[in-house]
Amino acid sequence: MYWTNKIKQLNWSIILRIIGFVLIVEAILLVFPLFINFLYHDFQTMAYVLPILICLGTGIPLSKIQSKKGFIFARDGLFAVGLSWIVMSILGALPFVLSKDIPNYINALFETISGFTTTGSSILTDIESLSHANLFWRSFTHWIGGMGVLVFVLAIIPGSNDRTMHIMRAEAPGPTIGKLVPRMKQSAMILYKIYVFLTIVLILLLWIGGMPLFDSFCHAFGTAGTGGFSIKNSGIGGYNSVYIDVVITVFMLLFGINFNMYYFLLMKQFKQVFKNEEFKTYIGIVITCILMIAINIHSLYPNFLEALRYAGFQVATIITTTGYATCDFNIWPMFSKIILWLLMILGACAGSTGGGLKVSRFLIIIKKLKLDIQRLIHPQKVDAISMDGKIVNDELVHQITSYFCCFMFFTFICILIVSFDNFDFETTVTSVFACVGNIGPGFGICGPMGNFSSFSYLSKIVLSIAMLVGRLEIYPIIIFIVPFLKPVKLKKRM
C-alpha cells in the first residue's frame, strides 16, 4: 500500500510525456544508421525500420498527454530520467537482435546500455564482423549518451522551462549543474552547440590524418561521448599512427573538462577558467600521472618519448573514462596499474561527458577531511569549505558524502554478485569498477585486449544496472527502489 501511494503521487502525465519525446528522438536518431544501411548495402533495413515504428507508435501518443499539474518535483525528474534511459536502452538493443549480429537479447542489451552510458564495455569477440549500420549505431549511442538525450529533449521540447531543472540535474554528471544563461532551454542549446562543434572538428582532424571517413565518424562519437567503442578488433592501436593517438588523446582530455569552461572562453571570461580549482586539479593530475607512468614503463619501450606516448593515451582514456586502448596495460608494472585503477575511480570533471566520481567531488571530500582534522586540533575554529572563492554549503557537502557512501556500497554489492562467476580477484573487482565508473576496460579477463563475453548472464545484468547507476549517478535508478522502503521516523531534538 505504501509503495502504491508513492507511485500514485508521481506526476505521471509529465513523466509519460517526457518519455514520449525521448522515444520520438530515438526514432529520429535510428534513421542515421538506417541511412548507413542503404549506403553500404547491409540488407538490414527491417532491423531499423521496426524499432523506428515502435518508437514512433509509442512515443507520439505519449507526447500528446497533457498535464493539469505543470510543476515537476525532484522525484518526478529523477523517475523520468531513470525510466527514460531504461526504455531507450531496451528499444535501442533491437537492431542488434533483429539483424542477428548479436542474437542474444541480454548480450545486445548489455552492449546497448554500455553504449548509451558511454561505458564501452563489450561482449563482442569479433567487432569487425558487424555490419556498417550496427557499427555506426553502436558508436552513435556513445555520442547520444555523452551529453545526455534528455538535455537534447529539453532544448527542443515545446514549453520546456526552468521547472524542468530537476531533469537536467538528474542527468548531468557532477555534484552541481548551473545555468549558463537565465533560460534552461538556451543553456541546453549552448551545451549541444559546443558538443557538436568539437565533434565536427575531431572528425575532420581524424580524416585529415588518414583515417577513413566512416572510421573517423565512429571514433569521434566514441571520443566525444568518452565511450570507447572502436570498430576495429585491435582498437585505436590498430591504426599504428602517432598523429591519431595524439589527436584522440587531446580530445579525450578536452571532453573531460566541464563544458561551462568552453562557454566562459567564448564569452572571453578567461579568469573564470584559470581560477577554476577543478580544472587546475584535473590538468595537474593528468600531467603528474603521465610522467609517473612513463618513468615506470620506459624500459618496456624503445625510448622515453614512446613510453610518454602510451602513458599519455592511457591516462587520458582512463581518467576521462573513454576506454580506448593502444596497448595492453595488463602487462605494465603494478605501480602503473594501480595509478590507472585510482584514475578509474576518480573520473573526469563535473559537467563533462566523462564518468567516475568526478574531480570536484574528490576536491570537496579532501577539503572536508582537512577541515575536520583542523577542528580536532582547534575545536573553536570557525571555517567553511570553499571552491573557486565561493562557500560550499553544508547541504552540498552532505550530498557528496552520501553519494560517495552509496557509490561504494553499491559497488561492493555488485562485486559480491559478480564473484559467483569465480574469476580472479583482479577481474572481479575491476570489472565492476569499470562498469559503475563507465570506464569500459578493467584488468584481467576484461582488460583492454579482452571483453565481457565470458561473464554469466546474471553478471551481465548486474553490470548493466551498474552502468546505468554510474552514468545517472545513482539516484535516478535508486529511486525505483526507494518506494519499497518504509520511511524512517526521525525524533525531534528537545
Side-chain angles (χ1 to χ4, degrees):
M1 182 64 70
Y2 173 76
W3 180 83
T4 305
N5 291 335
K6 282 292 183 182
I7 292 297
K8 285 181 179 179
Q9 289 173 11
L10 293 169
N11 192 340
W12 278 104
S13 54
I14 285 185
I15 291 171
L16 292 175
R17 188 165 183 259
I18 290 168
I19 292 172
F21 278 107
V22 168
L23 291 178
I24 292 171
V25 169
E26 185 169 20
I28 295 169
L29 295 171
L30 282 164
V31 172
F32 290 95
L34 179 61
F35 171 75
I36 297 295
N37 167 73
F38 291 128
L39 186 65
Y40 286 92
H41 308 290
D42 287 335
F43 304 106
Q44 295 180 345
T45 304
M46 290 309 299
Y48 285 93
V49 169
L50 189 58
I52 289 171
L53 292 177
I54 293 173
C55 287
L56 290 176
T58 309
I60 292 174
L62 290 178
S63 68
K64 295 185 181 297
I65 295 175
Q66 298 297 323
S67 174
K68 293 181 181 178
K69 296 187 294 182
F71 198 83
I72 182 168
F73 292 97
R75 66 187 178 200
D76 302 319
L78 290 168
F79 203 92
V81 170
L83 192 57
S84 294
W85 276 71
I86 292 170
V87 171
M88 189 171 62
S89 299
I90 289 171
L91 294 176
L94 291 178
F96 296 122
V97 178
L98 295 173
S99 65
K100 298 183 180 179
D101 274 355
I102 308 179
N104 183 282
Y105 185 77
I106 292 178
N107 285 338
L109 185 62
F110 180 95
E111 200 78 10
T112 305
I113 291 175
S114 181
F116 279 127
T117 59
T118 72
T119 304
S121 300
S122 180
I123 51 84
L124 296 173
T125 54
D126 184 11
I127 298 166
E128 294 176 35
S129 66
L130 268 64
S131 65
H132 284 85
N134 281 339
L135 285 173
F136 183 91
W137 175 239
R138 183 170 171 266
S139 294
F140 196 36
T141 54
H142 279 333
W143 193 83
I144 297 165
M147 185 60 69
V149 70
L150 273 90
V151 174
F152 178 72
V153 170
L154 280 179
I156 63 170
I157 188 172
S160 65
N161 50 43
D162 291 348
R163 291 179 294 183
T164 55
M165 180 67 174
H166 295 300
I167 297 172
M168 192 169 180
R169 183 181 287 119
E171 190 177 50
T176 58
I177 176 68
K179 295 182 288 184
L180 302 181
V181 292
R183 297 285 296 177
M184 181 53 61
K185 190 168 184 175
Q186 289 175 271
S187 291
M189 284 298 294
I190 289 169
L191 289 172
Y192 251 98
K193 284 177 181 177
I194 295 170
Y195 190 48
V196 170
F197 174 76
L198 288 174
T199 305
I200 292 171
V201 172
L202 177 55
I203 291 170
L204 292 174
L205 287 174
L206 291 175
W207 186 45
I208 291 168
M211 185 180 283
L213 187 59
F214 178 80
D215 298 30
S216 298
F217 268 92
C218 291
H219 288 109
F221 291 152
T223 304
T226 60
F229 277 155
S230 177
I231 63 172
K232 299 290 184 184
N233 291 329
S234 53
I236 298 296
Y239 294 96
N240 196 25
S241 167
V242 176
Y243 172 85
I244 289 173
D245 285 3
V246 171
V247 168
I248 291 181
T249 299
V250 170
F251 274 83
M252 284 191 294
L253 293 173
L254 289 176
F255 282 105
I257 295 171
N258 191 323
F259 271 57
N260 286 3
M261 299 300 104
Y262 297 119
Y263 178 75
F264 292 143
L265 288 175
L266 289 173
M267 296 294 103
K268 298 182 180 179
Q269 298 177 15
F270 303 114
K271 288 184 179 180
Q272 292 283 353
V273 177
F274 295 112
K275 77 175 185 178
N276 185 271
E277 289 185 52
E278 183 184 38
F279 173 72
K280 290 188 292 185
T281 304
Y282 170 72
I283 298 299
I285 290 171
V286 167
I287 294 172
T288 303
C289 290
I290 289 173
L291 290 174
M292 287 195 298
I293 291 178
I295 293 168
N296 188 232
I297 66 171
H298 78 278
S299 61
L300 301 176
Y301 297 96
N303 53 64
F304 186 74
L305 283 177
E306 194 78 358
L308 203 61
R309 168 191 169 187
Y310 287 106
F313 190 96
Q314 297 312 139
V315 167
T317 196
I318 295 298
I319 194 171
T320 62
T321 70
T322 305
Y324 282 139
T326 54
C327 65
D328 187 3
F329 52 74
N330 259 326
I331 64 173
W332 283 3
M334 186 55 68
F335 176 76
S336 295
K337 289 166 71 174
I338 290 295
I339 291 175
L340 292 179
W341 180 67
L342 293 173
L343 293 178
M344 282 184 185
I345 300 172
L346 177 64
C349 299
S352 70
T353 59
L357 281 173
K358 305 295 182 300
V359 175
S360 57
R361 284 197 182 98
F362 171 74
L363 272 174
I364 290 173
I365 289 172
I366 293 298
K367 290 188 177 190
K368 169 67 173 170
L369 288 172
K370 180 183 175 182
L371 183 61
D372 287 347
I373 292 170
Q374 288 177 341
R375 283 174 176 169
L376 284 174
I377 300 171
H378 307 287
Q380 305 302 320
K381 183 179 177 65
V382 178
D383 207 345
I385 298 170
S386 63
M387 281 279 287
D388 306 326
K390 298 177 182 178
I391 299 296
V392 179
N393 62 60
D394 291 338
E395 184 182 353
L396 180 58
V397 176
H398 291 320
Q399 287 175 359
I400 290 171
T401 305
S402 297
Y403 173 84
F404 180 76
C405 292
C406 287
F407 180 92
M408 297 308 297
F409 179 75
F410 177 80
T411 301
F412 293 148
I413 294 295
C414 290
I415 290 171
L416 283 174
I417 298 173
V418 173
S419 68
F420 284 112
D421 282 357
N422 206 30
F423 292 130
D424 60 273
F425 181 82
E426 194 175 54
T427 298
T428 302
V429 172
T430 61
S431 66
V432 175
F433 274 104
C435 288
V436 78
N438 303 136
I439 293 106
F443 295 115
I445 295 172
C446 59
M449 301 303 158
N451 54 62
F452 287 73
S453 60
S454 55
F455 284 73
S456 66
Y457 288 137
L458 174 62
S459 291
K460 287 173 184 174
I461 292 169
V462 169
L463 293 174
S464 295
I465 295 170
M467 288 187 279
L468 284 169
V469 167
R471 172 59 182 85
L472 299 179
E473 305 211 315
I474 297 177
Y475 298 114
I477 299 299
I478 296 297
I479 197 90
F480 288 99
I481 302 171
V482 171
F484 291 97
L485 305 177
K486 290 184 179 180
V488 178
K489 291 183 180 180
L490 299 175
K491 293 182 180 181
K492 292 182 178 179
R493 292 181 180 179
M494 299 299 291

